[in-house]
């Protein structure tokens, strides 16, 4: 209902940035999480990961949002979902 305060927005941005950095490092250390998949599954996962991680890393670079909508919390949710997807893949194989 109410607008998110700048402090809450900064916390969400920081949480997203830290989560994206952790997922990026995890993928650098274990590239087989995605590399072992068939191309039909690998390509959408790579595109999804690039989009989600790119948005998270770009969020702090966005200038003052002014009158635009506050930080979209779905971005953090998408990062968590991508992390759970990687975690499930890691446990499965």
């Amino acid at each position: 209902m109410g607008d998110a305060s700048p402090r809450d927005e900064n916390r969400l941005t920081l949480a997203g940035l830290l989560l994206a950095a952790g997922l990026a490092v995890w993928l650098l250390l274990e590239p087989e999480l995605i590399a072992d998949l068939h191309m039909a599954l690998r390509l959408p996962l790579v595109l999804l990961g690039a989009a989600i991680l790119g948005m998270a890393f770009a969020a702090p670079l966005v200038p003052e949002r002014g009158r635009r909508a506050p930080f979209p919390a779905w971005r953090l949710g998408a990062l968590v979902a991508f992390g759970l997807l990687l975690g499930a893949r890691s446990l499965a194989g």
Side-chain angles (χ1 to χ4, degrees), residues 5-71:
S5 71
R7 188 174 197 175
D8 292 339
E9 190 173 326
N10 288 340
R11 285 182 182 163
L12 282 176
T13 301
L14 181 61
L17 188 59
L18 291 174
L19 182 58
L23 287 174
V25 168
W26 187 18
L27 285 172
L28 284 172
L29 294 175
E30 296 188 35
E32 65 274 356
L33 287 175
I34 294 178
D36 291 344
L37 292 173
H38 188 270
M39 183 58 82
L41 295 173
R42 184 182 337 158
L43 185 60
L45 195 58
V46 166
L47 293 175
L48 176 69
I52 291 173
L53 294 176
M55 283 188 296
F57 286 126
L61 302 176
V62 174
E64 186 63 37
R65 287 176 178 82
R67 297 183 55 100
R68 288 191 285 165
F71 178 84

